[in-house]
Structure formats: C-alpha cells, structure tokens
Amino acid sequence: MPILDELVAEAAFLAALPSVVGVFITATLLVVSQDWRMNVIALAMQYFFVGLLMTQVTRIEMAAVKGLIGWVICLAFYLTEQQMQSSLRSNGSDEAVPLRNWFAARLEGWRREGISAQAAFNFMATVLVAVTVSAASSELPLPQVSGSLTLACYVLAGLGILLIGLSQDPLRVGVGMLMFLSGFDLFYVALEPSLLVTGFLGVVSFVIALGMAYLKAAEVAYSSEESTP
Amino acid sequence: MIAGLLLFLVLPLVIGGVVYVFRRWGTLSSLLSIGMTLALGITILALPLGQVVEFWGRQIVMGGTVSFLGRELILEDVDRVAIAFLYLTASGLFLLAWQVSPGTLLFPVGFGMLSLLSGSLLIRPLIYAVLLVEIAVAASVFALQDEGGRPARGALQYLSVSLLALPGLLVIHWLMDRYALTPDNTALLDVSAVLLAFSFALLMGSVPFQTWLPSVAGDSDPLASAFLFTVNHAAVWFLLLAFLETYPELIAGARFAPYASAAGMAMVLAGGVLAASQRRLGRLMGYGAVIDNGAALIAFGMASERGLALVLLGLLVRPFGMALTAMGLSGLGAACGHDVRVETVRGLGRRFPWSTLAFAVGALSIAGLPASAGFAARWALYRLLGPSDLVSVLAMVGGSLGLMVGVWRALSALLAEAEAEASTELVDDAPAEHDRWPRGLVVGLAVVASVVVGLSPHLLGPIAARLAGFYTFLAP
C-alpha cells in the first residue's frame, strides 16, 4: 500500500515520544472531561496515536486496521450519545446545544462555573495514576517493546482502569475498557503479531462498544420511564 | 463430507439469527431454541468419534482435527461431554425461560455464546480459546440487561472484571513458550502461575473479586444470570483445566493446592456471611454461586483425580439449583416490578406458588440441602474431605447455613400474610399463578429432576468421574 506507506512516513516523526504525549493527553481528557463530544474526539485521536505507536512493532497494514476499528467504535459511541441526547431533550431533561455553538458554550461554562469538583477529583486521580505508571514503566519494563511504548501501555492501562473505577455511565466505563484493551493490545501485538489475534481483539473491542451502547440506551429508556408520571 | 464439529460452531449462530427474527412469536422461538439445543446436545454425545455417519444424504464425521482460519479445532472425548453439558444446560434454561419470559434476548444471544464457548473448548492454541470466551462474555451483556428493567450495573462489573483477566491469560502462552526454550529460567514459570491464578480468580469471582457475582444476579435478568453461572462458569472451568493440561509444569508438585483451598474457604465463608445478611433475593443467587465456586476450589485443592471429579460433579448439578432459583426470581420479579426484596415479596407466596416453590427448591439446592441436586456433590465432598480436613468441611457447612438463613428470611416473607399496602398494589396488577398449569408442570418437572439427582448421585457421579479421568495433569 504505497499511499499508506507514504502517509505513515510523513507522520513518522510523531510515532515515538509525541504519540506517547498524545496518548497521555487524550487519556487524561477522557478521564477528566464529562463532555461526550470532547470525549469522542479524544478517543478518535487516541486511536490515531495508538495506531502510530503500533507501527513501531507491527506492519503498517495491521496498525491501520486497528486504527480503523477504533474509529468505527468512535462512530458507534457518537451515534449512541447523539441519540441519547435527543431522547433526553425530547423528555425535557436536557437543553439542546447546537454543534456550532458548542465550543463557545463550553468556554462560557468554564468561565462562569469553573471546573467541577468531579473533574478536579478525576484530574488529581489521573495525576496520581500517571506518576505511578511512570515509575512502574521504568521499574518493570515490558518485554519486546521500547521504553516509550512501555510507558504508553502503562498509561493506557492505568488510566483505563481508573476510568472504569470512577464511572457508572456505561459509555464512560466502556471507554475505560477500550483504553485498557488498547494499552494491552499495543504490547501484545509485539508478542503475537497474528492477524487472527488482531481480528479477535478487534471483535472484543467492537462487541464491548456495542454492549455499552445497548446498556446506555437501556439506562436512558429506564430513567425516561421512571420520570414519566 | 462435513466436519461434524463445525456444526456446533456454525449452526448455533444460524439458529440464533432465526430465533432473533422470530422473537415476537415467543412460543415459536422458545420451542425452536429448546429443540435445537437439546438436539445438538444429544447429537454430540450420540455420534461416534472418528466414524462417518450419513444424515439426510450428507456424510458427517465427528472428531479429529479440522483447520479453521488456519488454526486447529480438535474434538476429543472430554470436549464432547463438555459441549454436550453446555447445550443440555442451555436447553433446560430455555425451557424455563419459555414459561417466564418467552421473548427474551437470552435465546439468540445464548446461541451465539454457545457457539463461542464450544469454539473455546475446541480451538488450539489456547490464546484463541481465551479470546472466544472474552467475546462470549462481552456478548452476554445483551442477555443480562433485562428489557425495560433497571440498568444492569452487574453486567458492567462482570465485563470489566473479565477484561482484566484477559491480558494475563494471553501472556501465559508466550511466557510458557519462552520457558520451553529456557527451562532453567523458572521465573517465567512463577510469573505464569501467578498470572493464571490471578486471572481465574477474577473469572470465578474469588474473594476479594466476588462482588460482580451478586451484582449480576441482583440487577440482571435472572435466567441470563443463571446461564452465566452455569454455562459460562463451566466453560471457564474447562478453560482452566485445558491450561493445566497444556502446561502441567504450572502445577508441578501440586504447589497450587493450599492456595486453591484457602481461596475456596474464603469464598464459602464470605458468601455465607453476606448471604445471611442479604435482603435482596436476586443477590442470594449470586452469593450461592460464590459459595458453590468456593466449594469447587476446595475440591480442586485436593490435587487428586477424585477431587477433580467432585469439581466436575459440582458443575453438573449446579444448573438444577440455579435454573430453578432464576425461574422463581423471574416469576416474582414480574409481580413486584423487578425489585425482588424481602420487603416487596411479602405475601406473594400464596399468589405465586410455582415461583415460590422454584425459588425455594433452587436456592436450597445451591446451599446443598439434603435430597436436593446440590447435595449430591456437596455430600461426596464432605465425605472425602472429612477425615483429613475438617476445617474446610466446617467452612462449607457454615457457608451453606449462611445461604439457608438468607433463603429462610425470604421464604418467611413470601409465605407471610400480605400486610404492606405498597406490595399489595404491585401484586394486584400481576395475574396470579394458580391457573398457569404449564408453568406448574415445568416447575414440577424441574423440582422432581432436582430431587432425583439429589437422591441418586450415581446418575451423574460416573459421568464426572469419567470426565476427570480424561485429564492427566494430576497424575503422579
């Protein structure tokens, strides 16, 4: 695939430390932010960085497939959230925010209300986990992968578990699971570069995403029924 | 010529699709599901291994090795019995689901899970088996979420915990390959053993990871929970045995035995204490699963073929108790808005006698009450362990008593006079069960089957012993 090769060659400068930084920033955003639009964008970017990091240990085509699976999952999450938001709006329990005004509304919200206690707590927990995984990555390096990849794996797995532990919302828990799985996948693809394993891990990710979307829909439907007099 | 074992992977997926399409016609989809699982379960036992059989002009051969996507699928005697157990258990659960929730997603999703779990028993190397089990776990979320019911938080917990078990199980394969090349490096063996123990502790709900079991049972569809505690748990046990059979070095010298026994004792004690103080009836089933898994681990800790046979006997009798309990919970849940607590079921026993009977007999079977199916495995374990390890026996009896206290409290409420206004209002909307003779017939049959198995342990005992005999990793 010459075009893909050229594209990856162009982005090669990102494939080491910048991608690790990208993974860390997107993971932090996913843990701290409660805004579903920002989370979907962060998750899509995270899959891009994970794909780039994966090119260090596996073929470009396989990394591209994994990135593609991730983006399809992001699409599924986006559609689910959009559907849930419109369902909530039709029940009158949430206000509509047009996409073009979204960023301005976010800024205005932060200016007026500051950062919520939940976000501040999540950020502090993220910092603690980041320090822990940073120490762990130098003390317990993973076999077959470089130091930067080890750090990325630990960050994804650690913050994924943190997100699972901190959240009750099915989609956020699902994002945590997918982050954890991405972290492990990044390491495991170096140990077992089999196409079938890649396929099965992709199916695991996809079924998790669909399951979480289903649980979210069930939760919204139940809360709508409960709120109906 | 058709490779027979592929039928058990492909056919359930096709039937699952058909059942999903016909979901609106509950009786049709239920009967199709019951019939097909029963037929597949009997077929895999009846067809001789390695011989060509003609069926509707097609030649089918069972056994041997089949290549699937470049990987080997191997059907051996042990897999045959294990797959038959999965299908026959599913058939029984579908029979009960037909009576309480005929349109449930358990039917189509159950077929998908059966295909994946059967595949996990057949495929080699084991990393693919682990991945297939994980996909089945993720798919179970669709069945666990009760349609129109409360959000299934337990399903989230179950999936999270199972996902945490995945890395360890996948990495063991790589570590053991390295160990085969460098046998002097025993650190690889130690790390593999720790990963194996940790991963299966998560999957089996060992203390302190047991919280997902009562959560699943408490807020998910009861029959889907029972499917998970019987079919999924059996597949997990068979996966563990496959790991040990493939890598016997992991348990060389039976060094795992004291840890397995200690984990089992912690599970039966924790399950018993928590069940005794439980007021939500669904969670009692979850604690029952914790206790039953704990008893199985104690038997496994004996590190002998007889201990292994008792583990397998426990798995074989578990569906009787779980299925009946789940059916009772489903019936009672429909009457009190899926919020089945001691407070909400007060007086329901008189209007819902079949559900109450199913719940009582099922839960007491899980606790191992004499003359119930669960007793068959538990009594054999007490007798075998008694002379050498009385503490473990007392712990198991204590765990069972704790569960019985929880069941007793629930039964006291069910059989009491209805007093609370709130619960009476809920009950008024639900039709009583007195005139539902098909439900009574199904419950009656299941109760009789449970009692027969409890009074005649020789019915399933030899099957468990034969299954245990297939495994060689415990041989001296």
Side-chain angles (χ1 to χ4, degrees):
Chain A
M1 279 192 261
I3 297 173
L4 192 61
D5 285 345
E6 282 168 23
L7 279 173
V8 172
E10 288 290 321
F13 72 98
L14 284 173
L17 203 59
S19 283
V20 178
V21 174
V23 162
F24 178 70
I25 292 171
T26 51
T28 305
L29 265 177
L30 285 166
V31 176
V32 175
S33 165
Q34 305 282 329
D35 186 298
W36 67 271
R37 283 191 181 115
M38 189 183 283
N39 286 353
V40 171
I41 294 167
L43 189 63
M45 285 173 68
Q46 188 176 86
Y47 274 114
F48 171 73
F49 289 124
V50 169
L52 274 182
L53 284 170
M54 234 171 233
T55 57
Q56 289 185 24
V57 283
T58 188
R59 285 175 292 158
I60 293 169
E61 295 86 343
M62 206 180 280
V65 167
K66 283 180 187 279
L68 209 60
I69 291 170
W71 287 339
V72 173
I73 287 169
C74 291
L75 190 66
F77 276 174
Y78 176 79
L79 292 174
T80 307
E81 278 285 14
Q82 202 182 37
Q83 189 67 33
M84 294 309 111
Q85 296 302 322
S86 66
S87 168
L88 287 173
R89 276 199 295 275
S90 65
N91 285 338
S93 52
D94 202 6
E95 288 177 22
V97 181
L99 190 59
R100 62 178 181 280
N101 296 341
W102 169 70
F103 190 65
R106 283 279 94 197
L107 282 179
E108 181 60 20
W110 285 331
R111 197 179 62 78
R112 273 190 304 170
E113 296 162 19
I115 295 172
S116 69
Q118 174 75 51
F121 175 79
N122 287 2
F123 183 72
M124 288 307 294
T126 304
V127 170
L128 284 176
V129 172
V131 170
T132 309
V133 298
S134 168
S137 67
S138 54
E139 290 298 317
L140 298 165
L142 295 172
Q144 309 281 338
V145 291
S146 65
S148 58
L149 269 184
T150 299
L151 183 60
C153 294
Y154 277 115
V155 164
L156 284 166
L159 292 183
I161 292 173
L162 179 68
L163 189 51
I164 291 170
L166 287 177
S167 314
Q168 284 213 315
D169 177 70
L171 286 188
R172 283 178 63 75
V173 174
V175 168
M177 289 184 204
L178 293 171
M179 270 167 65
F180 175 79
L181 204 56
S182 290
F184 172 68
D185 203 3
L186 200 52
F187 160 58
Y188 194 65
V189 77
L191 301 187
E192 188 69 49
S194 149
L195 201 60
L196 196 56
V197 170
T198 301
F200 276 158
L201 279 172
V203 174
V204 171
S205 303
F206 202 68
V207 178
I208 287 174
L210 287 180
M212 293 306 108
Y214 182 70
L215 288 183
K216 177 76 179 182
E219 189 177 286
V220 171
Y222 182 75
S223 55
S224 302
E225 266 179 36
E226 287 287 289
S227 60
T228 308
Chain B
M1 196 180 304
I2 300 170
L5 56 89
L6 283 182
L7 288 179
F8 294 88
L9 307 183
V10 179
L11 209 53
L13 292 177
V14 175
I15 301 163
V18 174
V19 167
Y20 183 77
V21 170
F22 290 109
R23 255 181 84 206
R24 283 175 185 276
W25 294 279
T27 301
L28 176 68
S29 62
S30 303
L31 292 177
L32 182 64
S33 305
I34 297 162
M36 287 311 299
T37 42
L38 194 63
L40 286 169
I42 292 170
T43 303
I44 198 163
L45 282 179
L47 288 183
L49 270 186
Q51 288 180 27
V52 179
V53 178
E54 197 136 325
F55 186 71
W56 274 357
R58 301 265 180 185
Q59 288 186 323
I60 300 174
V61 63
M62 294 294 287
T65 303
V66 175
S67 182
F68 182 71
L69 295 174
R71 299 297 176 276
E72 282 184 340
L73 296 171
I74 306 166
L75 180 68
E76 292 169 345
D77 269 324
V78 63
D79 307 315
R80 229 156 59 123
V81 181
I83 292 174
F85 170 72
L86 300 187
Y87 276 95
L88 295 176
T89 301
S91 177
L93 285 166
F94 288 163
L95 176 68
L96 300 186
W98 169 42
Q99 283 305 310
V100 286
S101 47
T104 174
L105 267 180
L106 176 63
F107 295 116
V109 176
F111 273 110
M113 288 167 69
L114 284 171
S115 167
L116 291 163
L117 296 175
S118 302
S120 77
L121 294 171
L122 301 172
I123 201 164
R124 294 294 178 273
L126 284 172
I127 47 171
Y128 300 101
V130 172
L131 287 164
L132 288 177
V133 169
E134 190 60 42
I135 297 170
V137 167
S140 69
V141 165
F142 295 96
L144 286 170
Q145 174 61 51
D146 200 355
E147 281 176 281
R150 290 185 306 163
R153 301 261 179 239
L156 273 181
Q157 278 190 38
Y158 173 49
L159 188 49
S160 307
V161 164
S162 304
L163 194 67
L164 296 181
L166 179 72
L169 295 177
L170 291 180
V171 170
I172 287 171
H173 178 69
W174 181 80
L175 289 171
M176 292 308 289
D177 279 355
R178 294 271 299 236
Y179 176 71
L181 296 173
T182 54
D184 293 338
N185 191 354
T186 53
L188 293 170
L189 200 59
D190 293 339
V191 173
S192 299
V194 169
L195 286 176
L196 187 82
F198 175 71
S199 302
F200 279 99
L202 287 166
L203 288 173
M204 289 178 187
S206 176
V207 174
F209 310 115
Q210 85 286 358
T211 51
W212 66 265
L213 286 147
S215 293
V216 164
D219 60 16
S220 304
D221 177 57
L223 279 157
S225 307
F227 193 95
L228 198 150
F229 296 151
T230 53
V231 175
N232 276 33
H233 267 179
V236 166
W237 267 103
F238 286 120
L239 184 65
L240 171 63
L241 298 180
F243 261 99
L244 298 179
E245 193 68 4
T246 311
Y247 308 115
E249 308 93 318
L250 285 173
I251 54 159
R255 56 185 176 157
F256 74 95
Y259 300 109
S261 295
M265 273 179 61
M267 286 172 81
V268 291
L269 288 173
V273 169
L274 294 169
S277 56
Q278 192 50 244
R279 300 187 76 80
R280 286 174 65 181
L281 275 59
R283 293 176 76 91
L284 280 176
M285 185 167 76
Y287 288 121
V290 173
I291 293 168
D292 216 31
N293 269 346
L297 272 179
I298 290 172
F300 192 59
M302 293 169 73
S304 66
E305 194 179 308
R306 292 180 76 184
L308 183 57
L310 290 178
V311 172
L312 296 167
L313 182 60
L315 288 179
L316 294 180
V317 299
R318 189 187 292 184
F320 292 95
M322 287 291 173
L324 273 169
T325 311
M327 185 175 184
L329 288 170
S330 287
L332 295 170
C336 54
H338 300 282
D339 185 20
V340 193
R341 284 179 288 118
V342 169
E343 295 80 10
T344 57
V345 299
R346 181 164 289 276
L348 286 189
R350 292 157 200 268
R351 294 194 62 184
F352 296 88
W354 306 128
S355 297
T356 304
L357 177 70
F359 172 76
V361 174
L364 291 174
S365 171
I366 300 170
L369 188 81
S372 67
F375 181 68
R378 214 57 73 77
W379 178 243
L381 186 54
Y382 296 158
R383 283 182 60 189
L384 195 61
L385 263 179
S388 59
D389 189 0
L390 197 59
V391 178
S392 293
V393 174
L394 289 175
M396 281 188 283
V397 172
S400 294
L401 285 176
L403 184 57
M404 283 184 204
V405 169
V407 177
W408 177 258
R409 184 185 290 127
L411 279 178
S412 302
L414 277 163
L415 299 176
E417 291 289 337
E419 291 167 5
E421 290 293 318
S423 67
T424 313
E425 277 173 28
L426 283 166
V427 175
D428 283 344
D429 295 336
E433 271 184 337
H434 295 102
D435 52 350
R436 293 195 178 180
W437 65 266
R439 185 177 292 191
L441 183 68
V442 170
V443 169
L445 283 173
V447 168
V448 168
S450 173
V451 172
V452 167
V453 169
L455 294 176
S456 316
H458 58 271
L459 289 175
L460 293 176
I463 299 172
R466 188 165 156 249
L467 255 178
F470 291 131
Y471 293 99
T472 56
F473 61 86
L474 287 171

